[in-house]
Amino acid sequence: MPLLNIYHQKGKNNEYIKTCRDVIHKTLIDTWGIPEKDCFQIFHGVDKDHFFIDPQMWDMNRSSDTLVIHITSMPRTTDMKLAFYQALPAALEDAVGLNPDDVFISIVTNSAEDWSFGKGVAQLL
């Protein structure tokens, strides 16, 4: 069950957010094999004065459209992560015209005991 926090500069309309949500989720289904209903994404619109992503670090040409996608997940294989890293920028470019340099992904892993989906229960244990 990945939990995604997706940060962008304020000003994106609902259709853009919905399209990004759907593309990100489909890419996770395709590359990680997650279930279709396993969609937990929170979009955060951040004031441009509070959004500091270096535009050129790591040989990038980032714009103010950068999406920072922070994923908390159970462990995934290196191949799964690499497939996601490769597939998502291309899919977002096709869907919303986002420059692949503007797709910034961070993955943090945890264990089954680190999740409770409600009712005070650790459902993965």
Side-chain angles (χ1 to χ4, degrees):
M1 197 241 52
L3 171 63
L4 285 73
N5 282 280
I6 302 155
Y7 301 88
H8 58 88
Q9 286 192 26
K10 283 185 179 177
K12 301 298 181 195
N13 65 43
N14 289 338
E15 187 60 32
Y16 180 90
I17 300 284
K18 180 186 179 308
T19 301
C20 288
R21 179 198 69 205
D22 292 347
V23 167
I24 293 167
H25 188 62
K26 181 174 182 337
T27 305
L28 284 169
I29 290 170
D30 293 347
T31 60
W32 291 12
I34 68 169
E36 190 171 325
K37 291 189 175 195
D38 192 357
C39 185
F40 298 90
Q41 300 181 13
I42 304 164
F43 282 78
H44 306 270
V46 179
D47 287 330
K48 71 177 183 172
D49 292 336
H50 298 167
F51 197 85
F52 306 108
I53 302 297
D54 189 284
Q56 297 168 336
M57 181 71 179
W58 301 109
D59 196 30
M60 297 294 142
N61 187 20
R62 295 186 188 96
S63 74
S64 61
D65 284 336
T66 298
L67 285 182
V68 176
I69 303 164
H70 184 70
I71 302 172
T72 303
S73 175
M74 297 284 287
R76 306 293 169 169
T77 67
T78 297
D79 287 343
M80 292 168 81
K81 291 175 186 178
L82 293 175
F84 181 71
Y85 296 155
Q86 183 176 21
L88 185 60
L92 287 169
E93 184 176 33
D94 288 344
V96 296
L98 189 62
N99 178 343
D101 285 2
D102 285 327
V103 181
F104 184 112
I105 302 167
S106 170
I107 300 172
V108 174
T109 58
N110 61 11
S111 302
E113 68 268 14
D114 298 316
W115 297 94
S116 174
F117 304 102
K119 297 185 179 185
V121 176
Q123 287 86 350
L124 299 176
L125 291 180

